[in-house]
Amino acid sequence: MLISKQKPLEEIMEYIEGEKKVFLVGCKGCAEGWESGGEREILEMKKKLEEKGKIVTGHVVVDMLCDKALSAIKLKNFKKKIDEADSLIVFTDGAGVQVVAELVKKMVHPGCNTISSGGAHAEWKGAERCMECGNCVLEYTGGLCPIARCSKHILNGPCGGSQYGKCEVDETIPCVWHLIYERLKEIGRLDKMEMFVAPKDWSLSLIAGPPVKRF
Amino acid sequence: MKTKSNLERVLNAGYFAVTAEVGPPQSADPEVIRKKAKLLSGYVDGFNVTDGQTAVVRMASWAACLIGKEFGLDPIVQMTCRDRNRIALQMDILGIAALGINNVLCLTGDHPKFGNHPHAKGVYDIDSVQLIKIVKDMRDEKKFQNGEPIPYEPRLFIGAAENPFADPFEFRVLRLKKKIEAGADFIQTQIIYNVPKFKEWMKRVCDLGLHEKVKIIAGVSPLKSVGAAKYMKTKIPGMDVPDEIITRLQGVPKDQVPKEGIRICVDIINELKEVKGVAGVHIMAIEWEETVPEIVEAANLYPRPKF
């Protein structure tokens, strides 16, 4: 069970500044359980965004968004509405956001902060994708997590040791900043990487904050 | 002049600057630093002391810098984000400024995995770009990272590193731009052996007009042996050592290899002097600091300007 909490609406509005049409994605797994991205919250968010003048081209609440194969099938059914949108906002934990970013060649905004894994991890096999840092930065990184996947947790990467797309620490690991660069280039949003990302609020993280689950 | 830095003065006056790197000892022996500083005195405009380079425990950069300062040298404290969080880094920034140090080089830092304490927890609370901005805000806005005011600000000439040979190549110039926007006054680059590739990078730097916003000091290093060249080529992350360099070293008798290494270094400096936008050289003679005076003289960069 990954515990997530919706980001403040103002933060989400900053993310989609300059965009008119959005597509919303929720999850019937953990996000519904924690009321951060189930059917009800997605509909509420749709209403809030429409009140702020945005067009919601559609929405989908996937059973287990962190299951990439299942999500691929689900999102395919909404291809037209997704194509119509300028970007997607995903209301679930960091793993879910990263699944959508891998499936869709568009800007994917995180709608939630992942607070804790509650003792378990998402369904995504093969690699750790979300470190429950509590202050999701996927907005700046094209939907690929530098906290979970960069050896130095750099927010303004890549560092000087990245060569041939590999991490200097272990050449079997891809340099996530290289992947971020390619992804942002592909979706025409390299401006995100040229932006200065300020020091992170680590106090919300289980690694640096107090050893309690905040939910 | 933003600071009392000798390096800033030399660069502002338009001289081709010379800095050198000093490796601190893995001990508490101050004589190691005194010996190296004596060698450099009069031959450089500033000297760096590395901050736990390759994540090996060594004498603190600021402490070794203070020892070097006894010899009239202008120290450049290297500061990495690997071992200290934003609280410790800001404390050190205040401390070095109070001790009369005028330059700081902001780095993210080599990962603990490479060092002699590979089980240590890397801190990485902030990254190098954020550290640059913090020092700049402390100096120019008189503010700590949390926004609180500083009654007596640290006046430091702010340096950063950039590696023209790391990937993705196209993004490297934009990352340099980010560091300039964050507040870098000067840049010391990764060691250059692949001059054509460096020139291509500098061309992009100049196309964006970045050479007018920051002083770029090109990194060089004399090679002592064929083995060292091969090691750098294959084992050091972010290094680019072309085969021609290795072939050139292999082409001389074994006892002549160090001399040839120095000649290659001087040739590279002479080439770099002609590259538009290059404001100086940074000589990283790793555990071979005694070659610096010879290199500086051979490259016609001696004597250094005095003010």
Side-chain angles (χ1 to χ4, degrees), chain B:
Chain B
M1 290 280 293
K2 295 170 183 168
T3 68
K4 290 181 178 164
S5 158
N6 182 56
L7 179 62
E8 182 184 14
R9 208 159 33 203
V10 169
L11 288 166
N12 272 1
Y15 291 100
F16 192 79
V18 179
T19 57
E21 188 158 293
V22 168
Q26 286 179 259
S27 79
D29 183 2
E31 289 310 316
V32 178
I33 295 294
R34 290 201 179 109
K35 222 173 114 195
K36 291 180 179 181
K38 253 185 228 163
L39 283 168
L40 297 180
S41 186
Y43 287 91
V44 295
D45 307 314
F47 79 107
N48 295 46
V49 179
T50 51
D51 177 22
Q53 195 174 14
T54 65
V56 169
V57 175
R58 291 171 182 279
M59 189 186 289
S61 175
W62 66 266
C65 276
L66 271 191
I67 297 170
K69 208 167 174 284
E70 295 168 12
F71 298 87
L73 291 163
D74 192 29
I76 303 166
V77 169
Q78 296 201 177
M79 214 176 258
T80 76
C81 302
R82 178 191 59 231
D83 311 317
R84 282 158 290 181
N85 66 9
R86 68 191 80 178
I87 301 171
L89 287 164
Q90 291 179 99
M91 297 200 308
D92 284 354
I93 290 159
L94 295 179
I96 63 169
L99 289 167
I101 287 166
N102 303 311
N103 312 281
V104 65
L105 186 78
C106 304
L107 306 162
T108 298
D110 296 323
H111 194 276
K113 191 206 146 165
F114 296 110
N116 61 358
H117 291 68
H119 299 151
K121 183 175 186 296
V123 176
Y124 302 117
D125 172 33
I126 57 170
D127 61 32
S128 59
V129 184
Q130 294 165 342
L131 179 58
I132 295 165
K133 176 94 166 48
I134 287 175
V135 184
K136 159 103 173 156
D137 286 349
M138 289 174 79
R139 183 188 71 193
D140 296 347
E141 309 298 323
K142 302 188 185 193
K143 274 185 181 155
F144 289 109
Q145 192 269 329
N146 64 357
E148 282 175 16
I150 307 173
Y152 191 123
E153 77 280 14
R155 303 221 57 82
L156 294 165
F157 193 46
I158 306 169
E162 194 46 74
N163 183 1
F165 309 105
D167 290 318
F169 181 67
E170 317 89 89
F171 187 70
R172 287 292 148 185
V173 177
L174 297 174
R175 187 144 189 272
L176 172 74
K177 187 167 165 252
K178 270 182 94 158
K179 290 190 171 181
I180 297 168
E181 282 165 4
D185 299 310
F186 71 97
I187 300 290
Q188 289 175 319
T189 76
Q190 173 66 287
I191 299 168
I192 299 157
Y193 293 111
N194 187 344
V195 180
K197 192 163 183 188
F198 175 72
K199 282 182 179 167
E200 167 60 25
W201 183 76
M202 275 309 296
K203 192 185 164 295
R204 292 177 188 218
V205 169
C206 294
D207 286 347
L208 290 177
L210 300 178
H211 63 303
E212 282 159 6
K213 295 180 180 158
V214 78
K215 301 292 184 188
I216 295 171
I217 302 174
V220 294
S221 175
L223 289 162
K224 213 175 195 171
S225 66
V226 175
K230 285 185 176 165
Y231 181 81
M232 281 215 185
K233 186 183 174 78
T234 54
K235 293 282 188 300
I236 309 279
M239 282 293 305
D240 184 344
V241 185
D243 290 334
E244 299 93 84
I245 300 277
I246 296 171
T247 316
R248 195 171 149 185
L249 287 175
Q250 284 168 332
V252 299
K254 206 167 178 218
D255 62 330
Q256 292 296 310
V257 169
K259 281 273 161 220
E260 189 63 14
I262 291 169
R263 270 196 290 270
I264 293 173
C265 184
V266 172
D267 289 348
I268 291 175
I269 294 175
N270 284 330
E271 248 189 289
L272 292 170
K273 279 199 256 177
E274 305 303 320
V275 178
K276 187 186 167 193
V278 174
V281 282
H282 177 51
I283 306 167
M284 290 172 260
I286 302 149
E287 292 310 310
W288 204 19
E289 287 90 344
E290 64 269 27
T291 60
V292 172
E294 186 183 340
I295 293 169
V296 173
E297 284 188 34
N300 287 322
L301 293 168
Y302 185 80
R304 301 307 310 151
K306 281 201 174 67
F307 295 91

Side-chain angles (χ1 to χ4, degrees), chain A residues 38-80:
Chain A
E39 187 80 33
R40 196 184 67 192
E41 293 78 37
I42 294 293
L43 289 173
E44 280 170 8
M45 183 52 69
K46 180 173 183 284
K47 216 174 125 204
K48 284 184 205 163
L49 292 172
E50 283 169 352
E51 278 167 9
K52 298 244 179 215
K54 300 290 178 187
I55 296 165
V56 177
T57 63
H59 72 273
V60 59
V61 183
V62 179
D63 284 335
M64 290 289 264
L65 194 59
C66 53
D67 185 323
K68 197 173 149 190
L70 178 67
S71 296
I73 298 165
K74 280 279 189 186
L75 291 180
K76 225 180 196 168
N77 296 337
F78 291 85
K79 190 178 179 303
K80 207 167 153 267

Side-chain angles (χ1 to χ4, degrees), chain A residues 58-197:
Chain A
H59 72 273
V60 59
V61 183
V62 179
D63 284 335
M64 290 289 264
L65 194 59
C66 53
D67 185 323
K68 197 173 149 190
L70 178 67
S71 296
I73 298 165
K74 280 279 189 186
L75 291 180
K76 225 180 196 168
N77 296 337
F78 291 85
K79 190 178 179 303
K80 207 167 153 267
K81 288 179 175 177
I82 292 172
D83 284 348
E84 242 179 84
D86 298 317
S87 69
L88 295 88
I89 314 177
V90 181
F91 293 90
T92 179
D93 53 76
V97 180
Q98 291 175 80
V99 165
V100 179
E102 268 208 16
L103 293 172
V104 182
K105 287 192 175 29
K106 261 184 201 289
M107 188 68 202
V108 175
H109 306 284
C112 297
N113 287 324
T114 308
I115 307 296
S116 157
S117 68
H121 286 293
E123 291 298 307
W124 194 330
K125 307 283 194 299
E128 190 61 84
R129 292 298 167 109
C130 180
M131 302 234 305
E132 313 114 38
C133 74
N135 176 212
C136 192
V137 297
L138 289 167
E139 173 65 17
Y140 313 109
T141 57
L144 289 122
C145 183
I147 307 304
R149 301 180 66 188
C150 167
S151 300
K152 299 176 185 172
H153 310 319
I154 290 179
L155 291 179
N156 295 280
C159 78
S162 155
Q163 260 180 328
Y164 318 114
K166 299 295 179 200
C167 174
E168 66 168 44
V169 174
D170 183 338
E171 59 187 27
T172 65
I173 303 173
C175 166
V176 74
W177 276 102
H178 201 108
L179 298 176
I180 291 168
Y181 173 77
E182 307 225 302
R183 155 93 180 155
L184 289 173
K185 195 172 158 192
E186 190 178 19
I187 63 170
R189 291 306 305 266
L190 272 179
D191 59 301
K192 289 275 175 197
M193 211 165 147
E194 288 176 44
M195 242 173 69
F196 171 76
V197 180

